[in-house]
Amino acid sequence: MPVIALVSAKSCGVTVSALALALASSRPSVLAECDPAGGTVRAGYLQNSVDGGFGLYHLAAAERVGPDALANAVASSLWPMDAAGHRKLLPGLTDPTQAPALERTWPALADILHVLAEDAGYNVFVDGGRLAFGAGRLHPVLSPAPLLHRADLVLLVVRGTTQSLALARNVIDPLRAEFDESASTTSLGLLLLEEGEFPAHQVSTALRTPVLAALPWDPDTAGYLTRGGKPPRGYERSPLLRHARSAAEQLEAVAQRRRVQQEWPARRSYPQLAGVVQRLAQTSRGGRRG
């Protein structure tokens, strides 16, 4: 299964899009909130049901102990978002000042996310937040750069509006140049939120980047995913979730085709992370375990 990272030039629905994809995925899924500016799913969609003892910040200390400690910390921090435990959240930071502690943790976390995708069979969605650059490159503290370099797909989330396209133009060229310069195997594409006057083909032409998936403008469902509370009527059949399921399948197919076309070398083996797969298999039965 693929690791798919979502980012934006500015606040553009990254978290709602990533959450919709994870919830609607036909396969088990993990949403990793890796925005250095802080996560919002804990306080929004999950209505503060997850306390500060779980989440991204605690991985930094575990990583300094070693790979086993980090793998166990990730498995312990994955929080179920459905009754069956098939959709899991790695909650994000509660305080942006915690972000510098994660700079050396991102590469090891990237390894674990790929184990979850390739060994445990999860669709992994990474909320990378707003792109931040320094000296023309992804900022090492204000962006989860190693996660983006290691992702199978990186999706720049845009709306079909003049403002959104103008902002996207400022970041997509340096992002593409960085991937090219580093010989990254990441594929760069667009996720279009269908708000505004520009359809997919015009957005793709304007940004010289393919639109790999699109989600409809659905304020009621998006509001529920943002704030939580009582779901709107017809939530399970809402346009956003129906299209998100199709989009997740499309993105998985894109990633698989690209693996074949690129004839990627065999992935690295992480035998020290085998325990995380077993832990996930246990916690996926019947939801979270104490």
Side-chain angles (χ1 to χ4, degrees):
M1 300 303 107
V3 175
I4 300 171
L6 285 71
V7 294
S8 72
K10 197 173 181 179
S11 180
C12 197
V14 169
T15 300
V16 167
S17 299
L19 183 53
L21 289 169
L23 292 174
S25 171
S26 59
R27 297 181 182 274
S29 62
V30 170
L31 169 57
E33 276 195 295
C34 298
D35 182 352
T40 59
V41 176
R42 186 196 314 254
Y45 177 70
L46 293 182
Q47 295 281 279
N48 288 310
S49 61
V50 187
D51 63 40
F54 298 88
L56 200 62
Y57 179 64
H58 300 279
L59 305 188
E63 185 274 332
R64 284 156 176 76
V65 175
D68 288 341
L70 178 59
N72 285 327
V74 171
S76 297
S77 289
L78 292 175
W79 197 266
M81 296 190 291
D82 62 354
H86 296 316
R87 284 91 174 90
K88 299 176 184 293
L89 173 73
L90 174 61
L93 297 176
T94 57
D95 183 348
T97 63
Q98 299 168 340
L102 288 165
E103 183 177 352
R104 60 169 278 178
T105 307
W106 295 129
L109 179 58
D111 291 344
I112 291 178
L113 294 181
H114 278 276
V115 168
L116 296 180
E118 298 168 25
D119 290 348
Y122 283 80
N123 279 337
V124 176
F125 300 98
V126 177
D127 177 353
R130 178 178 179 176
L131 289 169
F133 292 88
R137 297 187 60 82
L138 287 168
H139 197 284
V141 173
L142 301 180
S143 69
L147 298 187
L148 304 187
H149 279 274
R150 291 281 309 282
D152 296 308
L153 299 175
V154 171
L155 301 176
L156 182 66
V157 181
V158 298
R159 302 178 192 266
T161 65
T162 300
Q163 181 188 49
S164 182
L165 295 185
L167 292 168
R169 286 191 189 96
N170 294 329
V171 300
I172 199 159
D173 285 340
L175 185 60
R176 182 185 291 110
E178 178 160 340
F179 289 157
D180 290 344
E181 180 183 336
S182 64
S184 171
T185 56
T186 293
S187 180
L188 179 61
L190 303 174
L191 174 63
L192 174 63
L193 301 184
E194 295 175 323
E195 178 198 17
E197 63 271 31
F198 297 109
H201 72 277
Q202 291 183 339
V203 171
S204 180
T205 299
L207 298 179
R208 297 181 292 109
T209 306
V211 173
L212 298 181
L215 296 176
W217 181 243
D218 183 354
D220 289 342
T221 306
Y224 168 63
L225 296 181
T226 300
R227 298 183 295 271
K230 183 179 180 180
R233 185 175 181 179
Y235 161 71
E236 297 287 349
R237 302 179 303 280
S238 65
L240 179 54
L241 288 191
R242 285 190 288 106
H243 283 78
R245 180 164 186 156
S246 298
E249 293 172 352
Q250 292 169 4
L251 295 170
E252 181 184 335
V254 169
Q256 296 294 346
R257 284 199 303 270
R258 192 166 184 276
R259 284 175 179 269
V260 173
Q261 292 168 355
Q262 296 291 325
E263 296 182 349
W264 286 1
R267 68 174 177 84
R268 293 165 57 192
S269 176
Y270 307 105
Q272 71 274 29
L273 301 182
V276 76
V277 178
Q278 183 178 3
R279 288 284 302 276
L280 280 167
Q282 293 172 348
T283 58
S284 66
R285 293 192 293 267
R288 186 163 190 84
R289 294 186 174 181

